[in-house]
Amino acid sequence: MTEPDRIAIEAADVWPEDVEETEAVVVNWFAREGRRVEAGEPVCEIQIEKVSVDVPAPVAGELVAIECDEEEAFTRDDALGRIEPA
Amino acid sequence: MAQQEPQAIERDLTMSRAMVEAIGHEMRENDEVFYMGEDVADYGGIFDSTEGLLEEFGRDRVMDVPISETAYLGAAVGAAQRGMRPIAELMFVDFFGVAMDQIYNVMAKTAYMSGGSVAVPMVLTAAVGGTYNDAAQHSQTLYGTFAHLPGMKVVVPSTAYDAKGLMHNAIRDDDPVVYLFHKRLMGIGWMPAPDGPKTAVPEEPYVIPFGSADVKREGADVTVVTLGLHVHRAFEAAETLAEDGIDVEVIDLRSLVPLDTETILESIGKTGRLVVVDEDYLSFGVTGEIVATVAEERLAELEAVERVAVPDVPIPYARPMEDEVVPNVDDIEAAVRSVCS
């Protein structure tokens, strides 16, 4: 169960438009759980069909959970992690 | 501005991003700093060494060049002689042969031959290393070649933290600096790095002085002197050896020129046993140099020595054969056990 005030980090907004692939892999996390992030700060890097894309923090706050670890696959609507807004 | 509490947890960066952050900072501070190389503008560097710089600084300061190493490295040397501070990237260190006259006769010797009146404040960056089956002309780790020839500083980072601090220092240095980064450590999606090179990196600029080796793991029994990728392989070996009660000290040289002999000798004074590990060829190289330096200075304290390096053969293309010649964790472990026996 997730608390409602926690905002999901999703890759849907940065998913390249010209790509049919629905699965991606997290390549690098740049923040660890407990870090305060700024809105827009790149929190992780994902790879879709060999294209690397940074995923920005949707809001400012504390990264409270990483739900998709490095080298793990995920799909467009999965939450990669959660931020508790400041 | 609102008072900000200091972050308890620093953000982590890959080695490539840490390098780019330092380059971007120096370019913002000093208009004379610019970057040139093959595929460094639109592509962002084939190993992500310039990712995002074109967007911020434009084509006058982030330049793609034709595939003519002599021409563009010569241009960089000329610009540096006139007071600019170029960073010129040699895509693979293996390509140095084409442009060696510009590198070692001009870049490295200008300060000396002009009686100190013409400096060459440039950085020559190049990707080194194998482990991904790119064959004999794209997999070498030629630290020793540049360190052997006088007139160049030679720098090799193993972590993102070191990469940033060493890059700031390289760009600010008034002498030519050869900055060699290992592809496997950059943190690129298609070439996963081992654990270790991605580290916490402060956002503000900081400098790591050349000639300051870093004791990255303290130990009492054996000194492993290494650099680049093999720092991380040495850690892994040290973990296994610790289970058997062998306490390994790992020294990351960070720069070959200048060489921090003090830190090595101090460690040998403690352990008496030396293993030198690198990914360059065995003969006439880094491993021999370190062993010779220690033997000259501390012969009486030296109980045992081993070298672990690439045998004197071209790097094979086939995966099992490349794995065989590039020193791995087991090779380091075996060498440490042999100096302890």
Side-chain angles (χ1 to χ4, degrees):
Chain A
M1 290 299 288
T2 318
E3 291 167 37
D5 57 346
R6 296 180 164 192
I7 308 292
I9 301 167
E10 288 171 1
D13 287 346
V14 293
W15 209 277
E17 282 172 20
D18 54 352
V19 165
E20 281 178 30
E21 182 62 62
T22 53
E23 200 175 77
V25 174
V26 174
V27 176
N28 284 303
W29 273 100
F30 304 120
R32 291 173 224 165
E33 288 177 359
R35 177 174 162 79
R36 276 186 287 108
V37 296
E38 302 293 329
E41 172 181 331
V43 286
C44 65
E45 175 186 352
I46 62 170
Q47 199 173 61
I48 308 163
E49 280 188 346
K50 296 185 184 172
V51 175
S52 284
V53 187
D54 283 1
V55 180
V59 290
E62 184 186 328
L63 178 67
V64 286
I66 286 175
E67 295 181 1
C68 189
D69 285 327
E70 288 177 3
E71 288 169 52
E72 264 182 46
F74 65 96
T75 56
R76 198 182 166 109
D77 299 317
D78 287 342
L80 304 178
R82 304 214 180 246
I83 295 174
E84 201 163 275
Chain B
M1 251 174 71
Q3 193 75 27
Q4 281 265 320
E5 278 180 47
Q7 276 275 12
I9 300 175
E10 199 78 61
R11 87 242 142 104
D12 293 322
L13 287 187
T14 59
M15 206 168 92
S16 71
R17 287 175 192 241
M19 285 167 56
V20 170
E21 191 165 274
I23 294 164
H25 178 90
E26 295 298 328
M27 288 181 75
R28 255 167 253 129
E29 294 285 302
N30 186 344
D31 287 343
E32 302 296 346
V33 180
F34 68 99
Y35 206 107
M36 66 199 305
E38 292 157 2
D39 284 332
V40 300
D42 292 279
Y43 198 95
I46 61 161
F47 301 110
D48 288 357
S49 56
T50 54
E51 189 67 48
L53 292 177
L54 175 67
E55 289 72 15
E56 181 176 354
F57 298 102
R59 292 185 190 278
D60 283 350
R61 297 184 68 195
V62 182
M63 267 175 266
D64 275 332
V65 298
I67 304 179
S68 178
E69 284 78 7
T70 296
Y72 80 82
L73 291 181
V77 173
Q81 287 172 334
R82 298 288 293 167
M84 297 186 80
R85 304 186 88 84
I87 306 164
E89 177 174 315
L90 189 57
M91 185 186 273
F92 289 81
V93 77
D94 315 67
F95 304 165
F96 82 98
V98 184
M100 204 49 181
D101 187 51
Q102 285 304 317
I103 296 169
Y104 99 115
N105 269 327
V106 189
M107 181 184 88
K109 291 179 180 143
T110 293
Y112 175 78
M113 295 190 74
S114 67
S117 62
V118 180
V120 183
M122 70 177 275
V123 183
L124 173 61
T125 58
V128 299
T131 74
Y132 69 112
N133 314 107
D134 214 0
Q137 299 165 333
H138 297 80
S139 302
Q140 298 173 99
T141 313
L142 306 171
Y143 315 121
T145 302
F146 296 93
H148 176 67
L149 300 161
M152 293 171 270
K153 293 173 181 172
V154 180
V155 178
V156 183
S158 72
T159 68
Y161 181 88
D162 289 354
K164 178 170 167 173
L166 291 167
M167 182 60 85
H168 278 296
N169 209 35
I171 297 169
R172 294 176 194 180
D173 201 296
D174 286 333
D175 293 317
V177 176
V178 181
Y179 186 107
L180 301 171
F181 56 86
H182 198 292
K183 302 148 199 168
R184 176 62 70 189
L185 298 178
M186 294 293 265
I188 313 162
W190 57 269
M191 200 194 312
D195 285 338
K198 194 176 77 174
T199 61
V201 177
E203 283 174 50
E204 60 274 12
Y206 56 92
V207 160
I208 294 175
F210 301 156
S212 60
D214 189 25
V215 180
K216 281 206 162 50
R217 185 187 199 279
E218 288 194 21
D221 298 332
V222 183
T223 303
V224 173
V225 175
T226 185
L227 71 173
L229 172 68
H230 283 76
V231 170
H232 304 282
R233 294 192 170 181
F235 284 154
E236 227 182 299
E239 291 306 311
T240 313
L241 290 158
E243 290 165 15
D244 295 337
I246 300 172
D247 193 14
V248 177
E249 181 144 297
V250 178
I251 295 179
D252 178 0
L253 290 171
R254 299 200 292 197
S255 69
L256 291 175
V257 182
L259 181 68
D260 178 4
T261 48
E262 206 50 48
T263 298
I264 302 169
L265 296 177
E266 212 171 283
S267 180
I268 293 304
K270 187 168 68 170
T271 65
R273 298 183 174 92
L274 172 64
V275 173
V276 191
V277 183
D278 85 352
E279 201 183 321
D280 203 349
Y281 301 118
L282 179 71
S283 298
F284 305 96
V286 175
T287 54
E289 184 62 31
I290 303 294
V291 172
T293 302
V294 174
E296 275 177 342
E297 302 286 333
R298 292 284 195 281
L299 191 57
E301 294 162 57
L302 209 49
E303 287 173 43
V305 166
E306 279 273 340
R307 294 195 276 165
V308 184
V310 174
D312 301 330
V313 294
I315 310 287
Y317 169 60
R319 179 160 301 170
M321 289 173 71
E322 184 185 20
D323 289 347
E324 183 60 32
V325 302
V326 175
N328 60 26
V329 176
D330 291 344
D331 297 328
I332 300 170
E333 220 186 288
V336 170
R337 286 186 199 281
S338 116
V339 297
C340 286
S341 61

